[in-house]
Amino acid sequence: MDDKININWYPGHMTKAVREMEQNIKLIDIVIEILDARIPFSSRNPIMDKLAMGKYRLMIMNKSDLADPSILKKWEKYYEEMGIKTISIDSRVTKNARNITPVVMDICKEKLERDKRRGLLKRPVKAMIVGIPNVGKSTFINSYAGRASAKTGNKPGVTKGVQWIRLGNDIDLLDTPGVLWPKFEDKQIGINLALIGSVNDNIISKYDLSILLIDYLENNYCGILSKRYNIEEVKDANEVLLEIADVRKCVLKGGEPDIEKAASILIDDLRNGSLGRISLETPQH
Ligand SMILES: Nc1nc2c(ncn2[C@@H]2O[C@H](COP(=O)(O)OP(=O)(O)OP(=O)(O)O)[C@@H](O)[C@H]2O)c(=O)[nH]1
Ligand SMILES: [Mg+2]
Protein backbone atom coordinates (compact mmCIF):
# COMPACT_ATOMS: atom_id res chain seq x y z
CA MET A 1 0.00 0.00 0.00
CA ASP A 2 2.64 2.55 0.94
CA ASP A 3 4.13 2.01 -2.54
CA LYS A 4 1.21 4.04 -3.81
CA ILE A 5 2.11 6.97 -1.62
CA ASN A 6 4.90 9.11 -2.89
CA ILE A 7 5.00 12.36 -1.02
CA ASN A 8 7.23 15.13 -2.23
CA TRP A 9 6.26 18.64 -1.38
CA TYR A 10 8.86 21.34 -1.58
CA PRO A 11 7.21 24.57 -2.64
CA GLY A 12 9.29 27.54 -3.79
CA HIS A 13 8.73 29.55 -0.63
CA MET A 14 10.77 26.96 1.29
CA THR A 15 13.85 27.61 -0.83
CA LYS A 16 13.43 31.30 -0.09
CA ALA A 17 12.92 30.61 3.62
CA VAL A 18 16.10 28.55 3.88
CA ARG A 19 18.02 31.36 2.18
CA GLU A 20 16.59 33.87 4.67
CA MET A 21 17.53 31.61 7.57
CA GLU A 22 21.09 31.29 6.23
CA GLN A 23 21.33 35.07 5.96
CA ASN A 24 20.26 35.51 9.58
CA ILE A 25 22.27 32.69 11.14
CA LYS A 26 25.29 34.87 11.90
CA LEU A 27 23.18 36.91 14.35
CA ILE A 28 22.01 33.80 16.19
CA ASP A 29 23.35 32.30 19.44
CA ILE A 30 21.08 29.28 19.72
CA VAL A 31 18.99 27.31 17.26
CA ILE A 32 15.83 25.96 18.87
CA GLU A 33 14.40 23.19 16.73
CA ILE A 34 10.75 22.40 17.29
CA LEU A 35 9.77 18.79 16.68
CA ASP A 36 6.41 17.09 16.81
CA ALA A 37 6.40 14.84 19.89
CA ARG A 38 4.42 12.18 18.01
CA ILE A 39 7.18 11.79 15.40
CA PRO A 40 10.42 13.06 16.98
CA PHE A 41 12.52 11.38 14.31
CA SER A 42 10.52 12.07 11.13
CA SER A 43 9.99 15.71 12.10
CA ARG A 44 13.74 16.44 12.30
CA ASN A 45 14.85 18.30 9.24
CA PRO A 46 18.35 17.12 8.22
CA ILE A 47 19.23 20.53 6.76
CA MET A 48 19.13 22.04 10.26
CA ASP A 49 22.37 20.30 11.25
CA LYS A 50 24.21 22.24 8.57
CA LEU A 51 22.40 25.49 9.30
CA ALA A 52 23.07 25.27 13.03
CA MET A 53 26.72 24.27 12.75
CA GLY A 54 28.75 25.95 15.49
CA LYS A 55 25.64 27.22 17.30
CA TYR A 56 24.15 26.13 20.60
CA ARG A 57 21.18 23.79 20.08
CA LEU A 58 17.99 22.86 21.87
CA MET A 59 15.15 20.61 20.71
CA ILE A 60 11.59 21.10 21.82
CA MET A 61 9.27 18.13 21.46
CA ASN A 62 6.07 20.08 21.06
CA LYS A 63 2.45 18.88 21.17
CA SER A 64 3.55 16.49 23.91
CA ASP A 65 -0.09 16.52 25.05
CA LEU A 66 -0.90 14.49 21.90
CA ALA A 67 1.95 11.96 22.16
CA ASP A 68 2.02 8.62 23.95
CA PRO A 69 3.76 9.44 27.26
CA SER A 70 5.73 6.20 27.57
CA ILE A 71 7.07 6.43 24.00
CA LEU A 72 7.89 10.10 24.45
CA LYS A 73 10.06 9.15 27.46
CA LYS A 74 11.97 6.75 25.22
CA TRP A 75 12.60 9.54 22.72
CA GLU A 76 13.86 11.85 25.49
CA LYS A 77 16.30 9.13 26.49
CA TYR A 78 17.26 8.49 22.86
CA TYR A 79 18.26 12.13 22.29
CA GLU A 80 19.84 12.47 25.73
CA GLU A 81 22.12 9.55 24.84
CA MET A 82 23.07 11.40 21.67
CA GLY A 83 24.05 14.39 23.82
CA ILE A 84 21.11 16.50 22.58
CA LYS A 85 19.11 18.45 25.13
CA THR A 86 15.33 18.14 24.70
CA ILE A 87 12.26 19.55 26.43
CA SER A 88 8.78 18.12 25.93
CA ILE A 89 5.93 20.64 26.15
CA ASP A 90 2.45 21.68 25.14
CA SER A 91 3.45 25.11 23.93
CA ARG A 92 -0.05 26.56 23.89
CA VAL A 93 0.50 27.17 27.61
CA THR A 94 2.59 30.25 28.40
CA LYS A 95 4.04 28.79 31.58
CA ASN A 96 5.37 25.80 29.61
CA ALA A 97 6.92 27.96 26.90
CA ARG A 98 8.65 30.22 29.42
CA ASN A 99 10.05 27.22 31.27
CA ILE A 100 12.66 26.97 28.57
CA THR A 101 14.35 30.23 29.64
CA PRO A 102 16.60 28.76 32.36
CA VAL A 103 17.46 25.87 30.04
CA VAL A 104 18.48 28.24 27.24
CA MET A 105 20.51 30.35 29.66
CA ASP A 106 22.28 27.27 30.89
CA ILE A 107 23.07 26.05 27.37
CA CYS A 108 24.39 29.53 26.45
CA LYS A 109 26.22 30.15 29.72
CA GLU A 110 29.73 30.22 28.23
CA LYS A 111 28.68 32.95 25.81
CA LEU A 112 26.98 34.92 28.58
CA GLU A 113 30.09 34.70 30.75
CA ARG A 114 32.29 35.71 27.81
CA ASP A 115 30.10 38.77 27.18
CA LYS A 116 30.33 39.66 30.85
CA ARG A 117 34.14 39.34 30.88
CA ARG A 118 34.35 41.62 27.86
CA GLY A 119 32.28 44.17 29.72
CA LEU A 120 29.47 43.92 27.22
CA LEU A 121 26.12 45.05 28.51
CA LYS A 122 23.69 42.25 29.10
CA ARG A 123 22.50 41.44 25.61
CA PRO A 124 19.48 39.21 24.99
CA VAL A 125 20.26 35.72 23.75
CA LYS A 126 19.20 35.49 20.13
CA ALA A 127 17.29 32.33 19.34
CA MET A 128 16.16 31.14 15.94
CA ILE A 129 13.03 28.99 16.11
CA VAL A 130 13.10 26.43 13.32
CA GLY A 131 11.09 23.38 12.35
CA ILE A 132 9.00 21.72 9.70
CA PRO A 133 5.56 23.17 8.85
CA ASN A 134 2.75 23.07 11.41
CA VAL A 135 4.77 21.86 14.43
CA GLY A 136 3.84 24.93 16.48
CA LYS A 137 6.73 27.38 16.05
CA SER A 138 4.51 30.46 16.00
CA THR A 139 2.31 29.10 18.80
CA PHE A 140 5.39 28.60 20.95
CA ILE A 141 6.56 32.15 20.24
CA ASN A 142 3.16 33.68 21.01
CA SER A 143 2.90 31.76 24.27
CA TYR A 144 6.38 32.79 25.22
CA ALA A 145 5.72 36.42 24.37
CA GLY A 146 2.35 36.38 26.12
CA ARG A 147 0.74 38.00 23.08
CA ALA A 148 -0.26 37.11 19.54
CA SER A 149 2.84 38.32 17.71
CA ALA A 150 3.04 35.61 15.09
CA LYS A 151 0.26 34.24 12.92
CA THR A 152 -0.73 30.60 13.61
CA GLY A 153 -3.06 28.08 11.96
CA ASN A 154 -3.68 24.37 11.77
CA LYS A 155 -2.24 23.83 8.30
CA PRO A 156 1.26 23.92 6.88
CA GLY A 157 2.77 27.12 5.48
CA VAL A 158 1.15 29.76 7.71
CA THR A 159 4.36 31.73 8.40
CA LYS A 160 5.74 33.14 5.16
CA GLY A 161 8.92 34.98 6.12
CA VAL A 162 11.32 35.37 9.07
CA GLN A 163 10.22 37.77 11.81
CA TRP A 164 11.97 38.95 14.99
CA ILE A 165 9.88 38.92 18.14
CA ARG A 166 11.68 41.19 20.60
CA LEU A 167 10.62 40.51 24.13
CA GLY A 168 12.75 43.08 25.86
CA ASN A 169 14.20 40.70 28.41
CA ASP A 170 16.50 37.69 28.28
CA ILE A 171 15.76 36.26 24.85
CA ASP A 172 14.91 37.56 21.36
CA LEU A 173 13.15 35.04 19.13
CA LEU A 174 13.27 34.77 15.36
CA ASP A 175 10.18 33.06 13.93
CA THR A 176 10.80 31.26 10.64
CA PRO A 177 8.56 29.57 8.07
CA GLY A 178 8.26 25.79 8.27
CA VAL A 179 10.65 24.09 5.88
CA LEU A 180 11.01 20.54 4.67
CA TRP A 181 13.83 19.05 2.68
CA PRO A 182 13.67 18.29 -1.05
CA LYS A 183 13.45 14.50 -0.89
CA PHE A 184 12.33 12.07 1.82
CA GLU A 185 14.82 9.22 1.76
CA ASP A 186 12.36 6.98 3.58
CA LYS A 187 8.69 6.77 2.50
CA GLN A 188 7.56 6.27 6.08
CA ILE A 189 8.88 9.74 6.92
CA GLY A 190 6.64 11.26 4.24
CA ILE A 191 3.66 9.29 5.54
CA ASN A 192 4.27 10.40 9.13
CA LEU A 193 4.59 14.03 8.05
CA ALA A 194 1.36 13.78 6.08
CA LEU A 195 -0.47 12.20 9.03
CA ILE A 196 0.35 15.07 11.38
CA GLY A 197 -0.47 17.71 8.74
CA SER A 198 2.99 18.99 7.83
CA VAL A 199 2.54 18.53 4.09
CA ASN A 200 -0.29 20.02 2.10
CA ASP A 201 -3.37 17.78 2.24
CA ASN A 202 -4.06 18.40 -1.45
CA ILE A 203 -1.08 16.37 -2.57
CA ILE A 204 -2.03 13.09 -0.89
CA SER A 205 -4.96 10.73 -0.92
CA LYS A 206 -6.56 10.76 2.51
CA TYR A 207 -7.96 7.34 1.71
CA ASP A 208 -4.51 5.78 1.24
CA LEU A 209 -3.24 7.58 4.32
CA SER A 210 -6.14 6.46 6.49
CA ILE A 211 -5.72 2.82 5.45
CA LEU A 212 -2.10 2.95 6.62
CA LEU A 213 -3.21 4.65 9.84
CA ILE A 214 -5.84 2.01 10.58
CA ASP A 215 -3.27 -0.77 10.11
CA TYR A 216 -0.84 1.05 12.39
CA LEU A 217 -3.46 1.63 15.09
CA GLU A 218 -4.63 -1.96 15.02
CA ASN A 219 -1.07 -3.16 15.48
CA ASN A 220 -0.08 -0.63 18.12
CA TYR A 221 -3.20 0.76 19.77
CA CYS A 222 -5.64 -2.10 19.49
CA GLY A 223 -9.13 -1.14 20.67
CA ILE A 224 -8.73 2.60 20.17
CA LEU A 225 -10.91 2.70 17.04
CA SER A 226 -13.72 0.63 18.52
CA LYS A 227 -13.68 2.91 21.55
CA ARG A 228 -13.87 6.11 19.51
CA TYR A 229 -16.41 5.03 16.87
CA ASN A 230 -18.17 2.20 18.60
CA ILE A 231 -17.36 -0.20 15.79
CA GLU A 232 -16.02 -3.71 15.40
CA GLU A 233 -12.31 -3.63 14.69
CA VAL A 234 -12.27 -6.16 11.88
CA LYS A 235 -9.16 -7.30 10.06
CA ASP A 236 -9.43 -5.36 6.82
CA ALA A 237 -8.67 -1.61 7.04
CA ASN A 238 -11.07 -0.80 4.20
CA GLU A 239 -13.92 -2.42 6.14
CA VAL A 240 -13.03 -0.42 9.22
CA LEU A 241 -13.24 2.76 7.15
CA LEU A 242 -16.64 1.68 5.80
CA GLU A 243 -17.81 1.17 9.37
CA ILE A 244 -16.64 4.65 10.33
CA ALA A 245 -18.52 6.02 7.29
CA ASP A 246 -21.62 4.18 8.45
CA VAL A 247 -21.44 5.31 12.08
CA ARG A 248 -20.67 8.90 11.14
CA LYS A 249 -23.32 8.97 8.40
CA CYS A 250 -20.89 9.78 5.60
CA VAL A 251 -23.07 9.12 2.57
CA LEU A 252 -22.73 10.26 -1.02
CA LYS A 253 -25.72 11.57 -3.00
CA GLY A 254 -26.50 8.16 -4.52
CA GLY A 255 -26.49 6.53 -1.09
CA GLU A 256 -22.98 5.06 -1.39
CA PRO A 257 -20.68 5.43 1.64
CA ASP A 258 -18.50 8.58 1.43
CA ILE A 259 -15.26 6.88 2.23
CA GLU A 260 -13.08 9.96 1.58
CA LYS A 261 -15.08 11.84 4.20
CA ALA A 262 -14.69 8.98 6.68
CA ALA A 263 -10.93 9.06 6.02
CA SER A 264 -10.89 12.81 6.71
CA ILE A 265 -12.75 12.36 9.99
CA LEU A 266 -10.30 9.69 11.12
CA ILE A 267 -7.22 11.76 10.24
CA ASP A 268 -8.64 14.89 11.88
CA ASP A 269 -9.37 12.88 15.01
CA LEU A 270 -5.76 11.73 15.08
CA ARG A 271 -4.47 15.28 14.55
CA ASN A 272 -6.56 16.91 17.25
CA GLY A 273 -6.09 14.19 19.84
CA SER A 274 -9.66 12.82 19.79
CA LEU A 275 -8.31 9.28 19.38
CA GLY A 276 -6.17 9.68 22.48
CA ARG A 277 -2.43 10.14 22.92
CA ILE A 278 -0.78 8.40 20.01
CA SER A 279 2.84 8.24 18.89
CA LEU A 280 3.52 7.27 15.30
CA GLU A 281 7.12 6.10 15.76
CA THR A 282 9.28 4.52 18.46
CA PRO A 283 13.08 4.69 18.80
CA GLN A 284 14.83 1.69 17.28
CA HIS A 285 17.04 1.11 20.34
N1 LIG B 1 -2.37 20.13 20.98
C1 LIG B 1 -1.43 21.04 20.68
N2 LIG B 1 -1.60 21.84 19.60
C2 LIG B 1 -0.62 22.74 19.33
C3 LIG B 1 0.54 22.86 20.13
N3 LIG B 1 1.33 23.82 19.60
C4 LIG B 1 0.68 24.28 18.49
N4 LIG B 1 -0.50 23.64 18.33
C5 LIG B 1 -1.47 23.82 17.21
O1 LIG B 1 -0.80 23.45 15.99
C6 LIG B 1 -1.23 24.26 14.90
C7 LIG B 1 -0.03 24.85 14.16
O2 LIG B 1 0.59 25.83 14.94
P1 LIG B 1 1.51 27.00 14.33
O3 LIG B 1 2.11 27.69 15.53
O4 LIG B 1 0.80 27.81 13.33
O5 LIG B 1 2.64 26.12 13.61
P2 LIG B 1 3.94 26.63 12.81
O6 LIG B 1 5.03 25.66 13.13
O7 LIG B 1 4.20 28.06 13.11
O8 LIG B 1 3.46 26.42 11.32
P3 LIG B 1 4.01 27.11 9.92
O9 LIG B 1 4.15 28.58 10.15
O10 LIG B 1 2.93 26.75 8.96
O11 LIG B 1 5.30 26.42 9.63
C8 LIG B 1 -2.17 25.31 15.50
O12 LIG B 1 -3.50 24.89 15.29
C9 LIG B 1 -1.83 25.29 17.00
O13 LIG B 1 -2.92 25.65 17.82
C10 LIG B 1 0.68 21.99 21.29
O14 LIG B 1 1.67 21.99 22.03
N5 LIG B 1 -0.34 21.10 21.49
MG1 LIG C 1 4.35 29.67 11.85
Side-chain angles (χ1 to χ4, degrees), residues 80-274:
E80 189 187 303
E81 280 170 8
M82 282 171 69
I84 298 175
K85 177 81 193 155
T86 66
I87 304 182
S88 301
I89 60 169
D90 168 355
S91 76
R92 292 168 306 171
V93 181
T94 293
K95 175 168 64 69
N96 297 342
R98 289 193 182 156
N99 272 347
I100 72 144
T101 307
V103 181
V104 169
M105 294 303 157
D106 188 57
I107 294 173
C108 296
K109 68 175 180 287
E110 269 179 37
K111 173 216 140 50
L112 293 168
E113 279 162 13
R114 205 164 52 234
D115 281 357
K116 208 161 134 194
R117 273 201 308 277
R118 289 182 185 157
L120 295 171
L121 292 176
K122 196 166 178 282
R123 295 188 302 193
V125 168
K126 292 195 163 39
M128 183 187 267
I129 310 296
V130 302
I132 62 167
N134 205 34
V135 284
K137 298 174 293 299
S138 302
T139 301
F140 168 79
I141 289 176
N142 288 343
S143 272
Y144 194 96
R147 57 186 145 90
S149 310
K151 196 170 161 211
T152 65
N154 199 2
K155 57 178 187 175
V158 173
T159 304
K160 302 287 186 212
V162 305
Q163 180 194 1
W164 277 107
I165 312 289
R166 302 206 183 267
L167 305 169
N169 45 21
D170 297 328
I171 306 182
D172 282 343
L173 302 175
L174 185 66
D175 191 15
T176 66
V179 292
L180 293 167
W181 53 108
K183 197 162 169 42
F184 304 132
E185 42 311 314
D186 175 352
K187 266 203 184 113
Q188 192 57 45
I189 291 181
I191 292 163
N192 289 341
L193 296 178
L195 282 170
I196 64 153
S198 284
V199 294
N200 195 319
D201 278 339
N202 298 331
I203 68 149
I204 35 163
S205 146
K206 281 214 172 156
Y207 172 79
D208 291 345
L209 210 50
S210 69
I211 294 294
L212 294 169
L213 176 61
I214 290 169
D215 283 336
Y216 177 81
L217 293 175
E218 294 207 328
N219 288 326
N220 296 277
Y221 293 93
C222 186
I224 217 160
L225 290 171
S226 56
K227 191 168 140 226
R228 172 72 184 162
Y229 303 110
N230 201 14
I231 54 169
E232 283 276 326
E233 277 189 21
V234 277
K235 274 261 153 27
D236 176 47
N238 189 60
E239 282 177 45
V240 172
L241 206 51
L242 282 169
E243 286 209 49
I244 296 174
D246 185 41
V247 170
R248 290 304 169 97
K249 312 221 171 343
C250 309
V251 198
L252 292 168
K253 272 215 180 87
E256 291 289 300
D258 188 345
I259 204 149
E260 276 290 327
K261 185 158 179 223
S264 265
I265 289 177
L266 174 63
I267 290 169
D268 284 349
D269 280 353
L270 170 81
R271 289 180 184 168
N272 63 33
S274 302

